Amino acid sequence: MSQSFVILSPPRSFSSVACGMLGQHPQLYGVPELSLFVADTVDLWFNHHTRRLKRPQGTHGLLRTLAQLHEGEQTESSIQRAWQWLAQRRDWSTARLWSYLEGRVAPRILVDKSPMTVLNADFIERLYRYLPDAQFLHLTRHPVPTAKSLAEILSGSEDSGRRVGRDVNPFELWCRAHGNILDFCSVLPTGQSLRLRGERLLEEPDLYLPQICQWLGIRDDASAIAATKHPELSPYACIGPPNARLGNDNKFLTAPELRPARFKDPSVAQSSEILALEPELRARVLSLAAELDYVE
Amino acid sequence: MSSNQGTTLQPLQGAAGTTVSPDHNDYFVLGGHIYCLSTKGETFVSDRWDIRLDTWVPFDLSNGAPHDEAGRVSAAVDQSSTQSGPFAYHQGAKDTHPIIYTSALASREAPLAFMDADGRFRRQPTHNGRPGPLGQLLHSAGRLIAAERDVPRLWASPEPLNGEWISFGNPDWESHGAMRISHVLAHQGQIQVVLDNPDTGFEIWQSDDEGTNWVPVVLNGAYRYRRNAFVTAVTVHQGYRFLAASSVNADPFASGRTVGFELLVLGPSNRWDVLIGDCRCTPDGLRAPLLARGPGLDHTDDHRVVGLGCTADTLYLLTTHRRVWRLTENEVERLSIDNDLAPASLLERKGSVWLVLGSDGSMSLQPLS
């Protein structure tokens, strides 16, 4: 059994609900988006989110996690104390901070999903340097609905806590993220990564959740699986206090329950959104969609 | 010849005295001998590997096709051989002895050829121009079953010399992307076909011996989808079918992100497992590689298996990068043969084979595609 479990996916690919579900397993502990691996130290991590991206919402996940683990609640005052605790450890490496969190949740396994990590190959490389023995779940979603959802973030119409660049085409983002993940997973030893279509997980959780548990080497009995079907019971599955409201996908935070789902994949080749792309990007999307098994 | 832990590997240049064409040769192991069937001009030629002489020696076909001790000549290719191929033995009701059939790829009007009494190669015209060029032949239940080379279509004929063929079931494989039938197998009295499907991954379908009730056995490239579009080699041993699958068929230098091949096994009940390859979720449950080795035996540059061979407890595979691997229940071992072949020689040696002789005298062959 590995000590770390990381879900790799672009934004808007069901990773919030997947992390919320798996994080409720009695042997796992799901946290909001920590986005730790964007920097080597806590100080640089802070600067990255607040000064470089100018999105302090990127720190909410870690603050909520620290508040919850330290005080068992997420309130304005506990978040404030988490800030102070963090400020006193600005020289810590982010690897040390990860280990600290692992120790706090032990013997449960920390589950992280931070879409920001997969948008930059350097971030993924840092993730692997710090967590070489982690197990990585590559979660995918059809490019067309992903791009539509990403467009909401990119247009700034939604309070997402994420910043990915307003001038970026959402399909470009989808390609970049999955390309980085595929390149990364291709060099891992067999069994260290597992790819799953998010649509399948949400359509048939009773079929696929036990398989993920078997792959992780944790319990897959009925009570363990039943627990994973209640992501809404996570202490992080809600809007946080005013000074750390987010830390996860806004849509998940406002409606975290697992609902019966049935997806009808739109045609990749016939999609008007994909047909409208520049030829080079269109070819990349089509090729990658096929590689990720989104074929008609 | 080089040795490695009791196993001897030797590249062979093709059967002695024959002009070996990749489309017209077949190798099979029967009764402790290795046979090579090929066509030389208009003549069938058979050679047999002589262990004592360490070479091929001509085998006289005029006394009939090679057969096992029980005289079951018809079983030679589809059950005892290391691979099914374009050669098959069949005896129609009016035939006095089994006849060797093969495909005549150059002829659309006469896609089937057979060995006449004088040992000559004869083409057999068919009625209505059907079937088209043939890629696979199999004798089963008193009929010769033929798979077309260019389309996923099967035909059957109890008396091929009459030129009459009937469609053998044939679900609409083509409409959902299946490109061709790569292998035809007999399994527990039923017929199985392996279909190449570059869109969704290879498929295996099974029917009764009348071809009337086809059901899928494996779909979507065993849920590796396009990364298992093609089955490039098959070998059968004691009801277990070993398949090598990959995203690449003929071109080992195809563009795109490279992925290694997988090796799969179908048990007698048709349950499939991954011997080497990717871990994945499937509707049938989690599948993790039984031998804990990744695609291409952890070499993503190793695209394709070009030959499989099987003995009682060992599976041999030859890959595009001139690597021979020996797989046993608990061990995966790479055999050292790199020094035996110049780097560029693989693709130039079409028709030649690797012969693998085990320390126990067992033999297997890996054709070089």
Side-chain angles (χ1 to χ4, degrees), chain B residues 5 10 17 20 26-27 44 60 119 135 153 192 199 210 238 267 324 338:
Chain B
Q5 297 186 2
Q10 183 175 14
V20 177
D26 191 22
Y27 306 88
F44 277 92
D60 185 4
R153 197 174 301 150
Q192 292 191 339
D199 288 340
E210 297 299 320
Q238 294 182 344
V324 171
D338 282 3

Side-chain angles (χ1 to χ4, degrees), chain A residues 144 148 171 267-277:
Chain A
V144 173
K148 285 181 179 174
F171 285 102
S267 165
V268 176
Q270 303 302 319
S271 158
S272 57
E273 293 89 345
I274 293 177
L275 289 171
L277 298 173

